[in-house]
Amino acid sequence: GGAMSMAHVERSRLLLGVGYMMAMGVCGVVLTAIGSILDDVAKHCGTESTKIGSVFIARGAGAIAGAVLSATLYSPPRRGNQILKSTLVALIALIMYLPFIRSIVVLHVVFTGLGFVTAVTDTGCQIMTRKTHGMQAGPWLGANTVVFGIAGAIVPVIDIVTSDTVTMCAVIATVALLTFSTILAAPHPEDPSMHKFLPARGGKKPSGSLGIGDWVRQYYMTEALVGCTVFWL
């Protein structure tokens, strides 16, 4: 029935929202980790981290390219989740390859790749969140940014537990794999069924049953709570 269909769509949106937040968190973790493990990686390449700062320029170049290409990559008829899953697989491969690099040139290539895939993932999560939640996307977009910002705190915790670079990269890759599985389990936001029950433009549900006050209380209380939490944090 209609009620069951609506419940199924809402559960799918919730799963997608969580998946996109996890993907944003993975990007935050990776960007923190590559700085944290650079000393060990530099030693493997026979140099020091202070002498290969150019890897961050390479990462920045990859990030710019990824951000510029994202609009094209996530445009119809492509399915955005397919792009996200591809970038997560590439990210897992690159992060696991880091501890085994012995060439400075290869290191620059890998950092460029990490910059590219994290940028495409980051930008894609925001684009896909908007596609998934429509006019209700505000709190989810804010949550994505918050998760991206605080996820880096996981890296020092991992560093305390283990100082082994391979283990750290394996933990990060595992989180990325869980994120991949979450997005894989959810339907594509482009599917027609996912467009049901979204509120119309102008801030009203299709039934027109909610006033502005009800709308704010129902859909934006989460944003207010998250904002207060982050402020005090």
Side-chain angles (χ1 to χ4, degrees):
M4 290 298 293
S5 296
M6 182 175 182
H8 177 73
V9 170
E10 289 300 325
R11 283 195 298 270
S12 297
R13 288 195 188 119
L14 178 61
L15 183 61
L16 284 167
V18 171
Y20 298 145
M21 278 196 293
M22 290 174 65
M24 291 287 284
V26 169
C27 291
V29 169
V30 169
L31 292 179
T32 307
I34 57 177
S36 178
I37 65 176
L38 187 59
D39 283 338
D40 289 337
V41 174
K43 288 178 183 177
H44 294 161
C45 294
T47 184
E48 299 175 1
S49 59
T50 53
K51 296 180 180 179
I52 54 172
S54 54
V55 293
F56 292 104
I57 298 176
R59 191 199 68 78
I64 292 171
V68 169
L69 290 175
S70 288
T72 302
L73 290 174
Y74 290 98
S75 295
R78 297 182 186 88
R79 293 193 162 195
N81 280 7
Q82 292 295 106
I83 304 297
L84 279 175
K85 286 183 283 189
S86 299
T87 58
L88 285 170
V89 169
L91 190 150
I92 291 170
L94 290 171
I95 203 72
M96 283 307 302
Y97 185 47
L98 267 179
F100 305 102
I101 295 174
R102 298 294 182 269
S103 166
I104 294 177
V105 174
V106 174
L107 183 63
H108 279 76
V109 172
V110 170
F111 265 65
T112 302
L114 284 171
F116 181 83
V117 296
T118 52
V120 173
T121 302
D122 178 356
T123 308
C125 285
Q126 300 296 68
I127 292 172
M128 298 310 296
T129 297
R130 183 65 179 82
K131 285 185 179 182
T132 301
H133 298 285
M135 299 296 290
Q136 301 170 16
W140 289 98
L141 293 169
N144 285 350
T145 306
V146 170
V147 171
F148 179 88
I150 67 175
I154 297 174
V155 175
V157 174
I158 301 172
D159 206 17
I160 291 171
V161 175
T162 176
S163 58
D164 182 60
T165 305
V166 176
T167 303
M168 178 180 286
C169 290
V171 171
I172 297 170
T174 301
V175 175
L177 184 60
L178 291 173
T179 304
F180 173 88
S181 300
T182 303
I183 295 175
L184 181 65
H188 292 281
E190 295 89 350
D191 291 345
S193 61
M194 291 296 293
H195 296 171
K196 294 179 181 178
F197 313 113
L198 278 176
R201 288 187 179 277
K204 295 181 180 178
K205 293 193 78 173
S207 61
S209 59
L210 293 181
I212 292 297
D214 294 329
W215 177 263
V216 172
R217 281 190 292 274
Q218 182 167 342
Y219 295 115
Y220 292 97
M221 188 57 70
T222 302
E223 191 169 52
L225 291 173
V226 170
C228 291
T229 302
V230 174
F231 172 80
W232 288 111
L233 180 63

